[in-house]
Amino acid sequence: MASVGLLYVGAVLLINGLMLLGIVPGKSAAMLNFFVGGMQVIFPTVILIQAAGDPAVTFAAAGLYLFGFTYLYVGLVQVTGVGPEGLGWFSLFVAVSAVVIGTLQFTMTADPVFGVIWYLWAVLWLLFFLVLALGRETLTRTTGWFAALGGQLTATLPAFFLLTGNYVSNASTATAMAVAGAAILAVSFYLGRRRVVDTASPEPGSAAALT
């Protein structure tokens, strides 16, 4: 169930990245955020009900709510037109939580690949915080590229491996994930700084463009 949800996390990160790049309108992106956000709240709730108090299952389900609430919040921002600052500060909470969960993937569940993935998600949500809460609009396109490209590496790809029974987590695959993630982050910064922004119009996906 969690693997199915992970696949659609890749989809919504792609759409949200394109929204930040000014390619997909906010209200158009809102629908998928509601669908995936609802899924990422319903699925972990079902998992917790079935967990019967199992700490490992409870831990695995708990992190999914961070995604669900994020995407529902994004959808509400787009539909209602409220400012994104609250979403930005919530993103900081998600980023810190992702660092903790990533560390526990190494120490508690012995899953180094998802340890790296959670660290990469922490970087992405930190970028969301900088753009939406602190108004660092020069990072908007970088964040958009990292969401769109990084989401495929950290969500879509591992989801397909999990769904097909081919997922392997060891030091080698974790290192490959870390190298690929760092490369995508570097490419995102490069692409984000290529375009000369017209200061007379709001940056795509910025606080001004999101409201």
Side-chain angles (χ1 to χ4, degrees), residues 156-195:
T156 305
L157 184 62
F160 277 121
F161 278 122
L162 287 164
L163 290 169
T164 58
N166 293 312
Y167 176 74
V168 176
S169 183
N170 53 40
S172 297
T173 52
T175 300
M177 176 63 70
V179 171
I184 288 177
L185 181 60
V187 168
S188 298
F189 270 100
Y190 171 73
L191 294 175
R193 295 181 181 278
R194 279 186 63 188
R195 180 176 171 182

Side-chain angles (χ1 to χ4, degrees), residues 109-162:
T109 64
D111 188 348
V113 169
F114 264 93
V116 173
I117 286 173
W118 275 102
Y119 287 158
L120 292 172
W121 284 336
V123 174
L124 177 58
W125 262 257
L126 178 62
L127 288 170
F128 288 150
F129 165 69
L130 294 174
V131 171
L132 300 176
L134 301 187
R136 302 288 180 83
E137 297 188 359
T138 56
L139 292 173
T140 300
R141 291 183 58 80
T142 296
T143 305
W145 281 113
F146 192 50
L149 300 177
Q152 308 320 299
L153 174 69
T154 60
T156 305
L157 184 62
F160 277 121
F161 278 122
L162 287 164

Side-chain angles (χ1 to χ4, degrees), residues 34-79:
F34 283 130
F35 293 148
V36 178
M39 177 188 294
Q40 293 295 90
V41 170
I42 294 171
F43 278 11
T45 300
V46 173
I47 292 171
L48 287 175
I49 292 172
Q50 298 175 342
D54 186 323
V57 177
T58 300
F59 170 69
L64 300 179
Y65 286 108
L66 296 172
F67 293 104
F69 293 144
T70 296
Y71 304 138
L72 291 174
Y73 207 148
V74 170
L76 287 171
V77 167
Q78 300 309 314
V79 170

